Amino acid sequence: MSLVSLLDVPAPAKLNLFLHITGRRADGYHLLQSVFVLIDWADTLHFERRADGRLQRHDLGPALPADDLSLRAARLLQQRSGCSLGVDISVDKQVPWGAGMGGGSSDAATTLLALNRLWGLGWSRAQLLALAPQLGADVPFFVGGDNAFVEGIGEQLSPIEVPVQRFVVVKPQASLATAEIFAHPLLTRDTKLSILRGSLADTAFGRNDLQPPAEDRCPEVAQAARWLADRFGNSRMTGSGSAVFARMDTGTNASPSAIDLTDLPAGWVGRECRSLASHPLRAWAD
């Protein structure tokens, strides 16, 4: 029996344990090395099949852009597959945008994986990965389904095992536009290439090359980094910001005690998060 709906489908966020900019291609795209780790801060999407071919999105929380990445992903898959079916996508947006946590990219990847099932396409993961870079540099990671050492412009994925870790993630009120950070004169673009090894999955390794430009552009990023460092002894921005995280402890027996975030500055959001061993939809594509 064919599916008519897929409900409560997760789209988890990610953290960059480090992010090095190692060069720039002739077409202007920046080359990077990073470790991407999935966390349990997630959006929730609902998909209901349509027979008329229309693609529609419904916002269950904050209003999203009219043509967000979930709609763009649905349109791209529909066009490339030649599928005549449509979908209603309802989005419960929980991951903040402008945070460097990959929320929109994760929504796009979840849409590709879900519609592959809902429309009965039977596409392989490799076929979906071929579409992913057209939607954004972070989308291949979420389609890949594993924590990964990421290179190139985001499309070169080497799955790695990352020990279970707990983080406190804080998003200041301000958001950052990725293009502005990559164009900033303070951006380092020649960090030495690293060789994949166990230490690359340790938050003590490396740095985020985008953090100095982000702090110059948005003082709240530096404020959030200090706020976390004062409490947990470490902090680092994720992606192009403005969210900042601190590592708490590791291991499956980590203390479950809740972290008090009641003293966050007005307009900030924060959450205690745990890393995921793999994407919740990892088994949805071969």
Side-chain angles (χ1 to χ4, degrees):
M1 181 180 295
S2 59
L3 293 171
V4 295
S5 65
L6 290 168
L7 306 179
D8 299 315
V9 186
K14 58 84 177 169
L15 297 177
N16 297 87
L17 298 193
F18 71 90
L19 201 168
H20 295 167
I21 304 301
T22 60
R24 195 174 189 179
R25 301 194 319 193
D27 60 8
Y29 283 96
H30 287 81
L31 300 171
L32 60 86
Q33 287 188 317
S34 182
V35 165
F36 283 41
V37 173
L38 295 153
I39 59 173
D40 60 1
W41 195 341
D43 295 338
T44 302
L45 285 71
H46 312 280
F47 302 88
E48 297 178 84
R49 195 183 66 195
R50 298 179 63 110
D52 60 5
R54 294 184 63 187
L55 307 175
Q56 294 194 142
R57 193 198 69 242
H58 312 277
D59 299 330
L60 303 180
L64 297 174
D67 193 32
D68 77 314
L69 277 171
S70 66
L71 274 180
R72 290 167 56 191
R75 185 182 309 117
L76 181 62
L77 184 60
Q78 186 186 58
Q79 292 172 347
R80 295 300 176 85
S81 68
C83 183
S84 62
L85 296 172
V87 68
D88 284 296
I89 306 172
S90 298
V91 181
D92 181 2
K93 189 69 180 171
Q94 296 294 322
V95 177
W97 53 77
M101 298 169 65
S105 295
S106 188
D107 292 347
T110 286
T111 297
L112 292 176
L113 291 161
L115 294 185
N116 188 38
R117 276 198 161 197
L118 188 65
W119 290 344
L121 301 179
W123 278 31
S124 67
R125 188 181 311 277
Q127 288 175 290
L128 296 175
L129 278 169
L131 297 185
Q134 301 173 56
L135 296 165
D138 289 345
V139 181
F141 164 69
F142 291 107
V143 173
D146 297 302
N147 296 319
F149 179 51
V150 179
E151 299 180 275
I153 61 171
E155 84 289 4
Q156 298 176 28
L157 307 173
S158 299
I160 59 172
E161 292 188 12
V162 177
V164 174
Q165 301 181 56
R166 293 170 65 211
F167 303 96
V168 174
V169 185
V170 169
K171 163 67 169 62
Q173 187 170 17
S175 297
L176 290 173
T178 300
E180 291 184 19
I181 303 306
F182 275 100
H184 199 286
L186 289 180
L187 177 61
T188 297
R189 297 182 173 89
D190 58 355
T191 295
K192 184 178 178 181
L193 288 170
S194 300
I195 299 173
L196 178 60
R197 58 185 186 275
S199 62
L200 297 186
D202 186 337
T203 52
F205 175 82
R207 60 185 182 271
N208 185 342
D209 285 336
L210 302 182
Q211 189 163 345
E215 291 183 345
D216 182 74
R217 177 70 178 79
C218 177
E220 275 191 289
V221 172
Q223 184 183 352
R226 289 192 300 269
W227 191 94
L228 284 170
D230 288 346
R231 288 159 177 78
F232 304 102
N234 69 96
S235 67
R236 182 169 291 170
M237 188 181 78
T238 182
S240 59
S242 60
V244 181
F245 66 92
R247 178 175 178 264
M248 295 171 60
D249 50 33
T250 61
T252 55
N253 295 320
S255 170
S257 58
I259 300 300
D260 183 8
L261 297 176
T262 57
D263 59 340
L264 278 174
W268 292 23
V269 294
R271 184 175 297 192
E272 179 184 340
C273 298
R274 187 180 293 270
S275 62
L276 302 176
S278 60
H279 196 290
L281 308 182
R282 180 65 178 80
W284 281 27
D286 297 325

